[in-house]
Amino acid sequence: MGRQHWKKIWVGSAGNMVEWFDWFVYASFATYFAGAFFPSGNPTAQLMNTAGIFAVGFFMRPVGGWLLGRVGDRKGRKAALTLTVTLMSVSALLIAVAPTYDVAGYGGAFVLLVARLLQGLSVGGEYAASATYLTEASDPRRRGFASSFQYVSMTAGQLTGLGLLIILQHTLSDTALHDYGWRIPFAVGALGAAVVFYLRRTMLETEVYAEDTSHAAERGTLRALWQHRREAFLVIALTMGGTVAYYTYTTYLTKYLSNSAGLSKETATLVSFTALTVFACLQPLAGALSDRIGRRPLLITFAVGSTVLTVPVLTLLKHVNGYWPALGLSLLALVVVTGYTSINACVKAELFPTGVRALGVALPYALANALFGGTAEYIALWFKNAGIESGFSWYVAGCAAVSLVVYVTMRETKDLDLARVASREAPSVTTAS
């Protein structure tokens, strides 16, 4: 892989890391600021309120997917990536200065809601723009490896947030964290986004996009996407199981270990941090493996593993009594999830032609996340509040089983020429030979 390819991957990944730091910091610090925006009472109910606002952000992702996907196809991947990080910086700053319930009543929750809507708009376009950019910028023979850095950078953003949480837990008292300490990561995120804004203004456009000869008026339009509706529905179906499993074992894991298993917040945070570090290191290895054996074997392995192991893993996690057993089970789950996360970006990008690739990835993926990924944490807390927490395990396993059917019947995509993918050539759901 040449120097220019690595430069594009580095710039795209660095921006993606800051985007997802801001996104995940909300979930990581929710246990500290949940009581700041809502009346005191049941801690689980407060977490449900903040999780509900977290989920609302996901419902803006389809809007962001459509708007920023259109920008990415019509104005270029660089333009879309620059716009997404601008929106994210503003949203992080809003949360950092939002007034509490004691100061402004539900006014603070309203500011929190507006910030999450902006974050949803930004991330709705960020995923597709970065997935498309990383896939197009890479050596055609190493697209799986290159695009795996999307989840490396996403996880690095989350790890940075968790690392900051660990530092604050050891330097501030629990009272100080609840009072004002939770604002610090959002201020850091706003500053980081400003730095990335500069980096993205100087990034290079991908050759695949620059050399695209498709009709300019049709680029990034819903009409053009409708011509590839089969591929769009395929993106929704193959995302379903993966996004539920991913958010279960990343954003929800820390709260599950502390709120359900009874581990201290510090121990739960350390488990998540360690597990996610290993998880990030696995992404390029799995991506490189897909360049050799194909995308489908990894997707099928994930779906089978998630369908079979989710119920026992979450059941055992609920009864762990220390760091090491919690870490072991968390790593097992994340190794399985790697089969999806390491390659899902390139698989989706490989389905669409250049003129509608960003929108084709963005809109259906955002819809799937709004329906399944963004609601995972809220559904988990709903089951817990209803006294049937085990029901969530079966829900996650069921979503994986649905995606398994898609993985088994879809065609392989690793050898497609991105510059020549057209409607008649795009892979669709067919029985694999």
Side-chain angles (χ1 to χ4, degrees), residues 26-289:
Y26 182 99
S28 299
F29 281 80
T31 54
Y32 290 102
F33 68 74
F37 296 105
F38 301 99
S40 59
N42 185 344
T44 298
Q46 290 179 336
L47 281 175
M48 285 184 68
N49 286 328
T50 55
I53 292 179
F54 182 77
V56 166
F58 278 83
F59 285 97
M60 278 299 289
R61 288 176 68 161
V63 180
W66 165 72
L67 178 62
L68 297 171
R70 180 180 174 87
V71 171
D73 285 328
R74 297 182 72 86
K75 303 296 183 181
R77 318 312 188 202
K78 174 182 173 179
L81 286 169
T82 303
L83 181 55
T84 61
V85 79
T86 302
L87 293 172
M88 187 61 77
S89 179
V90 173
S91 63
L93 185 60
L94 281 176
I95 297 177
V97 300
T100 64
Y101 180 82
D102 291 338
V103 173
Y106 285 106
F110 177 75
V111 173
L112 188 66
L113 176 62
V114 170
R116 285 298 296 176
L117 291 175
L118 288 176
Q119 283 190 334
L121 191 69
S122 173
V123 176
E126 170 65 24
Y127 173 87
S130 61
T132 301
Y133 188 86
L134 289 172
T135 302
E136 290 181 347
S138 63
D139 184 320
R141 296 166 298 178
R142 306 191 70 184
R143 289 200 300 256
F145 172 77
S147 64
S148 71
F149 282 89
Q150 182 181 45
Y151 271 82
V152 172
S153 57
M154 286 172 61
T155 307
Q158 188 173 6
L159 284 171
T160 303
L162 285 173
L164 182 55
L165 175 57
I166 292 172
I167 292 172
L168 292 176
Q169 285 174 336
H170 286 83
T171 55
L172 296 177
S173 67
D174 190 66
T175 300
L177 266 174
H178 282 84
D179 287 345
Y180 67 87
W182 59 266
R183 297 183 185 273
I184 295 174
F186 296 105
V188 170
L191 290 173
V195 173
V196 172
F197 175 80
Y198 171 77
L199 290 175
R200 287 188 165 177
R201 281 177 59 87
T202 62
M203 71 194 302
L204 301 173
E205 188 58 83
T206 67
E207 293 179 8
V208 173
Y209 180 83
E211 297 173 0
D212 180 44
T213 58
S214 60
H215 196 276
E218 290 294 314
R219 288 183 181 179
T221 63
L222 292 176
R223 178 180 176 180
L225 180 59
W226 183 249
Q227 297 174 11
H228 302 274
R229 55 191 176 278
R230 183 178 294 179
E231 290 74 37
F233 284 117
L234 178 58
V235 170
I236 293 175
L238 68 85
T239 300
M240 178 181 178
T243 191
V244 171
Y246 176 74
Y247 280 100
T248 296
Y249 295 115
T250 56
T251 60
Y252 182 59
L253 180 65
T254 304
K255 286 186 280 296
Y256 184 73
L257 290 175
S258 61
N259 202 30
S260 296
L263 297 182
S264 68
K265 291 178 181 178
E266 292 78 10
T267 300
T269 302
L270 187 59
V271 168
S272 293
F273 185 87
T274 309
L276 286 171
T277 299
V278 177
F279 176 69
C281 295
L282 290 175
Q283 303 310 299
L285 298 177
L289 179 62

